[in-house]
């Protein structure tokens, strides 16, 4: 009976150690994930400000007319943002004006997409 008691106590202590170690690892991983997520959102905010800076007060027509230059500028911005893949600028009807990934911008209609609908009226 004494050996069973000692084995039970040792098993309980081992369980506590493993549980504590796992919780610490999860906590560290969560801290790293939160830090990375915050950096990505900061990167996006900076990117939005930069895009706004080069497109501010331009009409859809002027953006389309300057598409090659803007494509190159957006492509360069994305090259400095490893967590992001592309920037697309759309007109109010859902048609792409300029992209960082494709030149010239393809003739698509994205007005039925959730991400486009969510931005309407803003």
């Amino acid at each position: 009976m004494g050996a069973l008691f000692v084995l039970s106590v040792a098993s309980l202590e081992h369980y506590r150690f493993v549980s504590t170690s796992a919780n610490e690892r999860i906590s560290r991983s969560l801290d790293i994930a939160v830090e990375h997520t915050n950096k990505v959102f900061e990167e996006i905010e900076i990117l939005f400000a930069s895009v706004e800076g080069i497109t501010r007060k331009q009409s859809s027509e002027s953006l389309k007319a300057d598409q090659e230059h803007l494509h190159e500028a957006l492509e360069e911005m994305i090259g400095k943002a490893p967590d992001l893949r592309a920037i697309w600028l759309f007109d109010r009807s859902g048609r792409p004006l300029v992209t960082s990934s494709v030149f010239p911008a393809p003739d698509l209609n994205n007005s039925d997409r959730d991400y486009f609908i969510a931005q309407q009226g803003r």
Side-chain angles (χ1 to χ4, degrees):
M1 180 85 169
L4 184 58
F5 176 74
V6 170
L7 184 61
S8 296
V9 170
S11 295
L12 180 60
E13 286 302 312
H14 181 68
Y15 171 79
R16 287 180 182 160
F17 172 76
V18 169
S19 178
T20 300
S21 295
N23 286 336
E24 288 172 0
R25 279 189 238 141
I26 289 169
S27 180
R28 282 193 305 266
S29 295
L30 182 59
D31 289 344
I32 291 168
V34 166
E35 182 179 337
H36 179 72
T37 302
N38 287 337
K39 286 181 181 179
V40 170
F41 279 115
E42 287 173 12
E43 188 176 35
I44 290 169
E45 286 180 26
I46 291 167
L47 195 60
F48 279 172
S50 298
V51 170
E52 184 180 3
I54 65 172
T55 61
R56 183 176 296 134
K57 297 184 181 180
Q58 290 190 43
S59 66
S60 294
E61 294 77 21
S62 67
L63 291 172
K64 193 75 168 169
D66 198 20
Q67 183 179 173
E68 185 171 3
H69 172 262
L70 290 171
H71 162 74
E72 291 169 0
L74 296 178
E75 187 177 44
E76 185 177 327
M77 286 179 196
I78 281 294
K80 296 176 184 175
D83 294 308
L84 305 175
R85 292 193 179 140
I87 301 169
W88 288 62
L89 304 179
F90 296 92
D91 66 12
R92 293 188 182 278
S93 66
R95 300 220 177 265
L97 297 169
V98 182
T99 79
S100 63
S101 56
V102 181
F103 177 79
D107 186 21
L108 304 171
N109 185 341
N110 293 307
S111 62
D112 62 340
R113 305 294 173 106
D114 290 340
Y115 60 82
F116 188 81
I117 293 168
Q119 298 303 314
Q120 287 180 323
R122 287 185 169 214

